[in-house]
Amino acid sequence: MKHFDRPPVVIALANQKGGVGKTTTTVNLAASLAVYEVPTLLVDMDPQANASLAFGLDYRAGGGHVYDLMLGRLSFDQVVRKTELESLDIIPSHPDVVAAEVELVGLEDRTLLLRQALSLAADRYAVVLIDCPPALGFLTLNALVAANHVIVPMQCEFYALDGLVRLVQTIDLTRRSWNPGLDILGLVLTMFDARARLSHQVAEDVERHFPGKVFKTRVPRNVRLAESPSHGKPVILFDVRASGATAHMELAAELLARLNLN
């Protein structure tokens, strides 16, 4: 396996509002980076394990998961899984991860568990993407402490900016208390309908509130993109010609340019 002299860029994809396309963005952005031959690790921190299921990894089949790694019950190599894409690995999640909030409440370094776990294989990847749960609790905090950057997927609908104040406050708290280098790398507009006036209004609102932070690529509503998880594949492997596949490849290229990795 190729090794790198510098640590990976770690990016948490977070939005406490559900149904905004967060996991879809994480899964397909990771796959697109892998198509560009960027060694990428996807970490599924959501107890719903939807990112894992999107690659055909069903927690009911058994095997190690991210909570085992965070607690030191299993090694990195015991929990990481290969995918169909040569440059993409994944650490799956499990419903048991939801217990972390309660089980680890008295642990002094509980916010550092994911950062410490990822350091075990820091030289294997150029980019690490973390799919956060749709909540600003312990699991998302662990992801923010481990990350260099945050990407916020946002659905193009009314109240798109609703709740972002709390996310920004959580990022600021994380920066002050544990991770001074953390920043918002960008916002991704998802489920964009170029024919709908509302989508354009939302885009204008987001760009006004976060100038210079909104990715130019807009991810459209796309049936094939929505269907691909049920087949255990990212859209690029399910239907390479789909508009959702094209959009995520463009988003990956834009991300690499922002990170100076292209």
Side-chain angles (χ1 to χ4, degrees):
M1 176 179 284
K2 184 176 180 180
H3 289 261
F4 297 89
D5 294 331
R6 64 179 185 177
V9 178
V10 181
I11 303 170
L13 284 93
N15 191 331
Q16 75 272 27
K17 192 174 183 182
V20 299
K22 174 184 55 61
T23 295
T24 298
T25 301
T26 309
V27 164
N28 290 289
L29 180 56
S32 299
L33 290 171
V35 170
Y36 282 122
E37 299 184 341
V38 177
T40 302
L41 174 67
L42 193 163
V43 180
D44 189 355
M45 283 289 282
D46 190 341
Q48 298 177 82
N50 287 332
S52 306
L53 290 168
F55 285 95
L57 298 173
D58 190 337
Y59 62 83
R60 290 168 293 193
H65 49 78
V66 67
Y67 195 31
D68 292 321
L69 179 64
M70 290 168 67
L71 292 182
R73 295 191 297 220
L74 294 175
S75 70
F76 188 92
D77 289 325
Q78 287 174 305
V79 299
V80 72
R81 313 281 185 89
K82 297 292 182 184
T83 71
E84 288 184 65
L85 293 158
E86 185 177 349
S87 295
L88 177 62
D89 293 344
I90 181 171
I91 297 177
S93 190
H94 190 281
D96 285 353
V97 177
V98 76
E101 195 102 33
V102 175
E103 290 181 359
L104 303 178
V105 68
L107 194 64
E108 185 176 347
D109 294 331
R110 61 188 180 277
T111 59
L112 303 175
L113 292 177
L114 184 62
R115 177 197 283 181
Q116 293 165 349
L118 294 180
S119 71
L120 301 175
D123 60 347
R124 298 190 191 184
Y125 305 99
V127 176
V128 176
L129 299 182
I130 307 172
D131 186 35
C132 298
L136 295 179
F138 167 81
L139 296 172
T140 295
L141 183 58
N142 252 264
L144 295 178
V145 172
N148 308 113
H149 307 287
V150 182
I151 289 177
V152 185
M154 299 183 63
Q155 184 178 355
C156 291
E157 62 171 10
F158 279 120
Y159 308 119
L161 291 164
D162 221 29
L164 267 190
V165 171
R166 279 197 62 214
L167 177 58
V168 171
Q169 288 173 343
T170 301
I171 291 170
D172 287 342
L173 172 64
T174 306
R175 188 185 295 120
R176 291 195 306 270
S177 301
W178 300 286
N179 189 1
L182 183 66
D183 70 349
I184 295 178
L185 183 64
L187 296 90
V188 179
L189 297 174
T190 66
M191 306 179 203
F192 187 86
D193 185 348
R195 301 166 298 177
R197 184 179 177 185
L198 175 60
S199 286
H200 294 282
Q201 287 178 333
V202 170
E204 290 173 7
D205 286 347
V206 175
E207 287 168 352
R208 185 167 61 253
H209 283 84
F210 295 91
K213 289 290 187 180
V214 183
F215 283 95
K216 293 179 181 177
T217 303
R218 279 92 185 263
V219 179
R221 288 188 180 276
N222 178 234
V223 172
R224 303 299 273 173
L225 183 61
E227 290 175 341
S228 60
S230 66
H231 294 266
K233 294 177 181 291
V235 69
I236 196 75
L237 296 180
F238 180 59
D239 186 352
V240 69
R241 297 167 298 178
S243 60
T246 301
H248 283 96
M249 288 297 292
E250 292 173 353
L251 179 62
E254 194 175 348
L255 173 63
L256 291 172
R258 287 197 182 195
L259 297 174
N260 295 315
L261 292 176
N262 54 348

